[in-house]
Amino acid sequence: MAEDEPQDEQAPEPEPAAEGAGEAPPPPPGPPPGAAGGPKPEVGAYISKGWEIVKADPVLFILGYLVLATIAGFTMGLLAGPVMFGFFRVAQKRLKGEAAEFGDLFSGFKEFGRSFVTGLLVFAVCFAVAIVLIVIMIILSFIPCIGQVLSMLLYIAAWLFLGPALFFVFPIAALSETQPVDCLKQSFAFFKANLWPMVLLSLVLGLVASLGSVACCIGIYVTTPIAMVAMVVAYNEYYLPNAPQAG
């Protein structure tokens, strides 16, 4: 009887590689905006660009600001909205390298309804915060010693954070088609996501604007326009690239 010839054994087929095997793992999510590694405003660069734009046409910006501030002052701030719209739009044009004339400073009056309501909303928020502060400070005044300290700290904290929260309301409203209430919401949302960077930005530009008061208050007609133009620069270079709703 013939011996059976040995049969070749077939090697087992390799198992298919698991999906995604060998691929590099996805990078860890970055820190949220406002965290230690979040977007930081380049405040010095904004001020430098603001200075260069104002210096290039001092008549337009310094004399223009003087005229607009006079209008706002004589109307008890009621026309602050249209005034701010016009100034920010002129600054935006110059930042983009476009032509802007003195008459463009009054462009906010062409959208009087939206610009006026924006100014009214900002005033209403500040007024409401002031009323709440007064009530709380009256209550704290009944607490000896520590009540006065708490009142002072509360007052400083309230205005320290309110300014940054409202910082981008006018630039958003003046330089986009966003409605006033949404401008308020978006500015607050951006402040909430970038709290300490916004506090820094608002505080530094506020100090720049007030530096002119050293020269018998005349200098504010130079330093305030610089700070306001720097706000427009910050809107373009800090707010727009980092605000989700602006994308």
Side-chain angles (χ1 to χ4, degrees):
M1 190 173 180
E3 294 183 358
D4 295 336
E5 294 181 1
Q7 298 180 352
D8 295 334
E9 296 183 359
Q10 295 181 352
E13 297 181 0
E15 297 182 359
E19 186 177 353
E23 297 181 0
K40 298 294 190 296
E42 298 179 4
V43 186
Y46 307 153
I47 296 171
S48 178
K49 289 184 179 180
W51 162 244
E52 292 298 327
I53 291 173
V54 172
K55 183 178 67 173
D57 197 340
V59 174
L60 177 63
F61 287 101
I62 297 175
L63 182 60
Y65 172 76
L66 176 61
V67 172
L68 295 178
T70 302
I71 293 173
F74 271 112
T75 59
M76 304 291 289
L78 289 175
L79 296 181
V83 162
M84 297 284 279
F85 266 49
F87 191 94
F88 284 141
R89 285 174 175 175
V90 167
Q92 176 80 342
K93 283 187 175 183
R94 287 302 177 90
L95 178 64
K96 299 296 183 181
E98 302 172 3
E101 300 177 354
F102 199 87
D104 294 328
L105 290 167
F106 304 95
S107 62
F109 290 92
K110 296 179 181 179
E111 290 185 66
F112 185 81
R114 198 162 66 89
S115 60
F116 179 77
V117 171
T118 302
L120 199 62
L121 275 176
V122 172
F123 171 79
V125 171
C126 293
F127 183 78
V129 170
I131 293 299
V132 172
L133 278 177
I134 291 172
V135 172
I136 296 177
M137 290 171 70
I138 290 174
I139 295 173
L140 290 175
S141 66
F142 292 99
I143 304 176
C145 297
I146 192 173
Q148 295 180 354
V149 175
L150 291 175
S151 294
M152 183 180 300
L153 293 176
L154 179 65
Y155 180 85
I156 294 173
W159 297 114
L160 182 65
F161 291 111
L162 184 62
L166 298 173
F167 190 87
F168 284 119
V169 173
F170 277 114
I172 295 170
L175 306 178
S176 73
E177 299 299 324
T178 310
Q179 294 304 308
V181 174
D182 292 327
C183 295
L184 199 66
K185 292 178 180 178
Q186 291 177 16
S187 185
F188 267 86
F190 191 80
F191 161 70
K192 184 179 178 181
N194 303 275
L195 193 150
W196 293 114
M198 281 303 302
V199 169
L200 173 66
L201 177 61
S202 177
L203 187 61
V204 173
L205 290 190
L207 289 173
V208 170
S210 62
L211 278 177
S213 61
V214 176
C216 300
C217 294
I218 297 176
I220 60 173
Y221 296 109
V222 176
T223 56
T224 301
I226 294 172
M228 291 178 67
V229 175
M231 285 179 67
V232 175
V233 179
Y235 168 79
N236 285 274
E237 299 185 5
Y238 180 55
Y239 174 81
L240 288 181
N242 297 299
Q245 66 275 8

